[in-house]
Amino acid sequence: DHVVLVGTPGENPAIAELADTLPVKLSGGRFVSPSGATLEENDGVVQFVANPKLPSKAVLVVTGNTPAGVLAAASALAQKPTNQLMVG
């Protein structure tokens, strides 16, 4: 089935378990940019990947390094369709 995971990696062990399959990686329990810089406390991370256990299904991960980061990620998903915060 499709899965939605919400929380920090420390709060939601399923996110930590998926870490190796996510585009934005964990290092030392914290999300880092592709250049290796730790994401800011208030940065949210939204990742949409194939479910590694059921590749025909998807996993949506709404997370961050802190609860404030998770809130930022969730807020980005809840934005009005006319806003373009999430592009690319």
Side-chain angles (χ1 to χ4, degrees):
D1 291 335
H2 298 295
V3 177
V4 177
L5 300 174
V6 179
T8 66
E11 295 168 335
N12 189 334
I15 295 172
E17 289 174 22
L18 229 69
D20 291 340
T21 66
L22 297 175
V24 177
K25 301 295 183 194
L26 277 176
S27 177
R30 301 182 58 79
F31 286 102
V32 296
S33 71
S35 67
T38 301
L39 297 182
E40 297 293 327
E41 298 290 315
N42 294 331
D43 287 345
V45 179
V46 177
Q47 302 186 85
F48 188 72
V49 297
N51 185 331
K53 295 180 183 176
L54 293 167
S56 65
K57 303 296 182 181
V59 177
L60 175 65
V61 182
V62 182
T63 189
N65 288 329
T66 65
V70 175
L71 179 59
S75 295
L77 283 177
Q79 70 178 327
K80 293 180 183 177
T82 54
N83 294 348
Q84 293 205 357
L85 293 175
M86 295 176 53
V87 295

